[in-house]
Amino acid sequence: MPDPIYLDHHATTPLDPRVLEAMLPWLRDEFGNAASRTHVYGWRAEAAVEQAREEIAAAIGAREPREIVFTSGATESDNLALKGLLRARSGRARELVISAVEHPAVADSAAALAAEGFETRVLPVAESGLVDPEALPELLGEATGLVSVIWAQSEIGVVQPVAELAKRCRERGVPFHSDAAQAVGKLPVHVEREGIDLLSFSAHKVYGPKGVGALYVRRGRPLLRLEPLLHGGGHEWGLRSGSLPVPLIVGFAAALRIAEAERDAEAARLLALRQRLLGRLRARLPGVRVNGDLERRLPGNLNLSIEGVHGDALVAGCAGLALSTGSACASARPEPSPVLRALGLPAERVREAFRIGLGRGTREGDVDVAAELLAATAERLRAERAASPPAGPPASLPASRIRE
Ligand SMILES: *Cc1c(COP(=O)(O)O)cnc(C)c1O
């Protein structure tokens, strides 16, 4: 059987062959430690890292390369932003504000900070999945140490009004962080223009290698101080100790360079594919609902609920497609997605939800096959359900608790 069509580009993306080419010399020939100051092996590695840092800074509109701190990925960047900032400011700042639709890397970091006495306030979202910037100021107080709102949501693809949120934070002197793992390389991201203080992003969401990401930390006044998560050799200005993964960093920069150069054309292409897919599916099948705002959304994202069809059963039933529900599912007790619940959708519609993530490798033929397979599988599942009344989800569903 051929591999299924990959429609899960929010979970990860394949390595672009051009990125691999850029990385190969640094895997094969060059092995120096970028922190070695006494010989040419180290100098060459350092030069490659600093060139990559410059390109990555430019790609997100940062003023200085020194504002880029390399990490192992967006999860670590989110942890460093939230824990690092609040721990460093722990005197006065005892509170943080996050949106109701954060990735677990932010939501669970905030939950972990509760054990240290930090309180979290939640900025709610409308049924569209969007926060209301007007609702933010009333959540900000003397004790607010940080506001964190995801730029583009990884399940529903909804794009938040980050510039408006950042502006309100700046007016109140509160630092603003955004998890932009799904936004960088796909949407115009310019930290200086949008007034962002901290930004998390990752290489493997933009056709780069897994295991490398960055945290942008604005320099200048007012000063942002961060407590490191890792202690050691004092790399990355003491913010992240550990020898730098030079091949991954070189690949990260190459991936962003390509994504930026192709961004607008690729966004238009993905949007057309998404419209084709949704149009075909709706022409074939009644009761197809889109979860989250359809306009303010990543071009390659769809989160759908098909009436009367459980998302888990649909994803499992479409063997020819690599899809996901984008939500956690504990073995026997399916746990509905906290993100979809935050939209206030009925429980049934949350259970029906599944996620489609189109990407660089997706072609017209793929979305046509996907529409046909989804429709046929949904029809079969509806018929089965009509024949035997629902008795909960089958026990053989994947027990994964991993959310991307
Ligand atoms: C994938 C993803 C992460 C985690 O990134 P890693 O680099 O895998 O740690 C965090 N936030 C969002 C929004 C993501 O999509």
Side-chain angles (χ1 to χ4, degrees):
M1 211 168 91
D3 276 349
I5 297 170
Y6 189 72
L7 297 175
D8 201 14
H9 286 85
H10 302 296
T12 193
T13 58
L15 190 72
D16 189 295
R18 295 167 287 181
V19 174
L20 178 64
E21 275 309 310
M23 290 171 67
L24 277 176
W26 300 94
L27 288 162
R28 195 175 40 209
D29 312 316
E30 298 282 350
F31 61 88
N33 189 321
S36 294
R37 292 282 148 77
T38 49
H39 48 69
V40 70
Y41 298 93
W43 301 334
R44 285 203 294 255
E46 189 193 14
V49 166
E50 294 317 316
Q51 196 197 321
R53 200 189 299 279
E54 252 174 61
E55 288 184 32
I56 292 167
I60 63 158
R63 209 147 27 103
E64 293 179 51
R66 290 199 316 162
E67 296 177 311
I68 301 297
V69 176
F70 288 116
T71 65
S72 62
T75 299
E76 186 187 332
S77 300
D78 287 340
N79 274 265
L80 179 57
L82 270 71
K83 296 174 184 171
L85 198 87
L86 284 163
R87 285 172 183 166
R89 306 191 65 188
S90 65
R92 292 181 300 114
R94 306 303 303 170
E95 284 178 14
L96 72 156
V97 175
I98 66 172
S99 85
V101 291
E102 292 305 307
H103 187 275
V106 165
D108 292 358
S109 290
L113 282 166
E116 296 170 37
F118 295 99
E119 270 180 49
T120 301
R121 295 178 162 212
V122 176
L123 183 62
V125 295
E127 194 181 323
S128 62
L130 288 160
V131 302
D132 175 7
E134 300 297 335
L136 180 60
E138 60 201 65
L139 292 180
L140 304 179
E142 280 299 300
T144 313
L146 178 69
V147 172
S148 181
V149 177
I150 190 166
W151 196 307
Q153 220 289 323
S154 45
E155 287 179 49
I156 53 177
V158 167
V159 179
Q160 300 293 350
V162 282
E164 280 117 273
L165 296 164
K167 180 167 159 277
R168 280 163 181 81
C169 287
R170 191 142 291 188
E171 285 163 4
R172 300 286 290 270
V174 177
F176 180 75
H177 166 256
S178 184
D179 178 342
Q182 298 287 350
V184 167
K186 294 170 190 146
L187 304 170
V189 170
H190 195 287
V191 286
E192 276 289 319
R193 200 173 52 221
E194 325 269 5
I196 312 290
D197 295 302
L198 299 127
L199 191 89
S200 299
F201 53 113
S202 184
H204 78 98
K205 301 295 176 79
V206 286
Y207 309 90
K210 291 164 187 59
V212 69
L215 179 65
Y216 159 80
V217 184
R218 180 185 52 72
R219 294 250 174 182
R221 308 239 149 241
L223 196 67
L224 289 169
R225 290 210 317 113
L226 293 184
E227 179 82 24
L229 299 175
L230 302 181
H231 300 89
H235 308 73
E236 302 295 272
W237 306 281
L239 284 176
R240 209 285 190 173
S241 285
S243 298
L244 291 171
V246 182
L248 301 184
I249 288 170
V250 168
F252 190 6
L256 270 184
R257 197 187 315 131
I258 295 165
E260 284 301 308
E262 299 180 352
R263 194 185 65 219
D264 293 347
E266 180 64 358
R269 192 185 74 87
L270 290 176
L271 186 62
L273 288 176
R274 178 177 94 192
Q275 282 163 345
R276 183 181 177 100
L277 174 53
L278 186 59
R280 293 204 153 208
L281 197 55
R282 281 185 156 157
R284 186 76 165 64
L285 202 68
V288 177
R289 295 202 189 92
V290 177
N291 300 315
D293 196 275
L294 190 54
E295 299 304 316
R296 294 193 53 109
R297 179 185 287 258
L298 287 170
N301 174 279
L302 272 180
N303 190 298
L304 303 175
S305 288
I306 298 179
E307 216 177 314
V309 180
H310 277 188
D312 286 318
L314 185 65
V315 166
C318 286
L321 307 176
L323 288 167
S324 119
T325 56
S327 70
C329 168
S331 48
R333 187 176 54 85
E335 183 186 297
S337 156
V339 167
L340 291 169
R341 273 184 306 168
L343 271 55
L345 301 177
E348 194 53 25
R349 184 154 156 198
V350 173
R351 275 193 292 275
E352 290 161 355
F354 67 100
R355 175 181 75 179
I356 300 173
L358 311 177
R360 204 174 273 168
T362 313
R363 296 288 169 266
E364 232 172 48
D366 298 326
V367 302
D368 293 352
V369 170
E372 180 50 40
L373 262 177
L374 283 166
T377 309
E379 276 171 349
R380 174 171 61 77
L381 291 168
R382 274 179 180 165
E384 281 172 19
R385 212 173 165 192
S388 64
S396 61
L397 290 176
S400 166
R401 280 194 54 85
I402 296 171
R403 290 161 284 178
E404 297 296 340

